Every structure is written in structure tokens, then in C-alpha cells.
């Protein structure tokens, strides 16, 4: 499965760098989601390893007690990345313009992407790059909820149900030979849809799709 051209479209087709030019020092998911993500990182990441935090921001949600050899950050807003205390280094790059990462082959033990996969227009290329930079046995963790900047999410994501979005990310991994079969962690919200959209505490569903480089 590869996305059709119309499935890659965004409602706002202006330059992504303009949309993200102004820093947003907020968290885009609730505390319950963040705790589940941090617990997942604590379980799947190993200390003293190399981490690539793709499409990051001013916070990486890594466990405070875990130390890593190097955490490389990436995003589109330098002010946000500069404030992230876990990053040893970062760079700016629009993956929808150029998905090729300026990073060596087999250099990272883990690649993380938190609540940003919905904005990737060329996931085939981006997930190939994730595979390329992972060490053998390295893990990729893609996490998301039901929140998004609607105008910047691709059509395939906007029009999908939550379950279909999980399947979409599984397909992204399956497109790249050499990834293990993707594992899914899904904790759906028990709140009514209206309360979820109003941002009620505990309302954010938590999804993570995980695969390893064989």
C-alpha cells in the first residue's frame, strides 16, 4: 500500500515552516497520555543509548531518571527545540520537502515520533529513513492520539477512524522490508466524544505502534 496523491493532501497547503514559525510552548495531549508514553519509553528504551526524537518540540517525555548517550532532536521550530532540556543537539528540516535525514546509517538505538505522524505526506520515504538510521535491533515508537492540527494533517489521516489510523501506521512500517511486524498498544478513551473534544481530563486515547529493525 502506498498513499495515492489525493491522500497526501492537506487543507492548508502553505509552507509548513510558516505554520510552525511561532513557538507553541504547550503540550498537545493530556497528562494521562504523557504518563503512558513516558512509561512506554521507560519499558522499551535502554539507558546510555542513542535516541532520535523526530518531529520533536520543547519536551520529549523521556523518563527523568534515564540518561542517554545522545538525544538528537528534529523539528521545525528552533525556539521550541532550544528549550528542550533532553536534547544534546537538534536540527531543523521540513520532511515534507526533503525526507532524507542528515544522519549516518545505523546510528541510533531508537527513533521516537510523538503525535506528529499525521503530518507526514511521504511516509514511505520517512519510514525508509527511520529504518536506515536505526541500528540492527533498534526500536521505532510512533505514538499518537486523536488530536491534530486538522488543516495540516494529510487527507488519509483526517478521513480515517482511530482504528484505521492504527492500521495506517502499521502499513507504513510494512512498506519497508526489514522491520518486524508492528506491535500495537491501544488504550481507547472511555469519555463521550463531546468531552474528549472539549479536552476533559483523561479524555485522550493513547496509541503506539512499535517495530524493530530486524
Amino acid at each position: 500500500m502506498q498513499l495515492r496523491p489525493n491522500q497526501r493532501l492537506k487543507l492548508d497547503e502553505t509552507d509548513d515552516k510558516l505554520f510552525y514559525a511561532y513557538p507553541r510552548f504547550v503540550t498537545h495531549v493530556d497528562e494521562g497520555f504523557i504518563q503512558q508514553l513516558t512509561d512506554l519509553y521507560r519499558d522499551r528504551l535502554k539507558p546510555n543509548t542513542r535516541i532520535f526524537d523526530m518531529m520533536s518540540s520543547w519536551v520529549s517525555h523521556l523518563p527523568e531518571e534515564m540518561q542517554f548517550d545522545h538525544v538528537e532532536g528534529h523539528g521545525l521550530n528552533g525556539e521550541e527545540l532550544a528549550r528542550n532540556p533532553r536534547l544534546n543537539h537538534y536540527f531543523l528540516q521540513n520532511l515534507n520537502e526533503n525526507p532524507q535525514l542528515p544522519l549516518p546509517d545505523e546510528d541510533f538505538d531508537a527513533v521516537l515520533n510523538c503525535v506528529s505522524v499525521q503530518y507526514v505526506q511521504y511516509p514511505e520515504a520517512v519510514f525508509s529513513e527511520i529504518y536506515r538510521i536505526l541500528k540492527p535491533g533498534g526500536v521505532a515508537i510512533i505514538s499518537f492520539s486523536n488530536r491534530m492540527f486538522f488543516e495540516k494533517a494529510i487527507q488519509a489521516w483526517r478521513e480515517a477512524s482511530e482504528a484505521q489510523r492504527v492500521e495506517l501506521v502499521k502499513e507504513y512500517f510494512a512498506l519497508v522490508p526489514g522491520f518486524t511486524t508492528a506491535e500495537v498498544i491501544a488504550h481507547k478513551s472511555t469519555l463521550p466524544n463531546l468531552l474528549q473534544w472539549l479536552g476533559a481530563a483523561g479524555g485522550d486515547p493513547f496509541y503506539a505502534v512499535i517495530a524493530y529493525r530486524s
Side-chain angles (χ1 to χ4, degrees):
M1 186 279 302
Q2 291 203 357
L3 295 182
R4 300 186 301 275
N6 65 298
Q7 291 181 299
R8 305 180 195 274
L9 296 177
K10 299 174 291 185
L11 295 175
D12 178 1
E13 290 287 353
T14 59
D15 192 330
D16 291 338
K17 292 192 290 290
L18 297 175
F19 184 82
Y20 295 104
Y22 187 80
R24 297 174 174 88
F25 295 112
V26 298
T27 52
H28 300 288
V29 283
D30 66 16
E31 289 300 319
F33 181 102
I34 292 171
Q35 185 61 58
Q36 290 179 84
L37 182 61
T38 300
D39 289 344
L40 177 61
Y41 287 165
R42 183 178 289 112
D43 181 55
R44 298 303 179 100
L45 303 181
K46 298 178 182 178
N48 306 316
T49 55
R50 294 177 57 82
I51 309 296
F52 179 49
D53 191 5
M54 173 185 282
M55 304 176 79
S56 185
S57 181
W58 66 288
V59 59
S60 291
H61 309 304
L62 294 166
E64 291 185 6
E65 77 279 4
M66 291 185 74
Q67 299 301 314
F68 302 97
D69 283 346
H70 183 87
V71 180
E72 183 77 16
H74 155 263
L76 279 175
N77 188 281
E79 290 182 64
E80 292 178 8
L81 295 170
R83 191 179 289 192
N84 189 328
R86 298 308 301 264
L87 302 182
N88 299 109
H89 182 264
Y90 64 84
F91 64 95
L92 305 182
Q93 182 172 323
N94 183 352
L95 297 181
N96 290 331
E97 288 184 351
N98 175 18
Q100 186 169 358
L101 297 168
L103 301 169
D105 295 353
E106 300 184 11
D107 197 41
F108 290 92
D109 299 279
V111 175
L112 314 177
N113 183 297
C114 174
V115 298
S116 296
V117 69
Q118 60 266 31
Y119 308 120
V120 175
Q121 290 179 287
Y122 302 97
E124 304 93 338
V126 169
F127 276 67
S128 292
E129 283 292 281
I130 292 173
Y131 179 84
R132 180 184 65 79
I133 67 173
L134 273 176
K135 298 177 182 178
V139 64
I141 302 175
I142 312 297
S143 59
F144 52 93
S145 187
N146 59 356
R147 298 198 199 188
M148 71 189 88
F149 295 123
F150 198 78
E151 64 272 37
K152 282 297 183 180
I154 64 171
Q155 180 178 301
W157 194 273
R158 296 194 312 269
E159 295 183 351
S161 66
E162 291 182 23
Q164 289 169 333
R165 291 167 183 167
V166 170
E167 292 302 314
L168 196 60
V169 179
K170 288 172 63 179
E171 289 284 350
Y172 292 167
F173 278 119
L175 286 169
V176 184
F179 273 120
T180 61
T181 301
E183 171 191 355
V184 174
I185 297 174
H187 297 148
K188 299 178 182 179
S189 176
T190 57
L191 291 181
N193 289 337
L194 176 61
L195 292 181
Q196 290 184 45
W197 284 108
L198 291 175
D204 288 356
F206 176 84
Y207 298 101
V209 183
I210 306 162
Y212 293 80
R213 174 169 172 154
S214 298

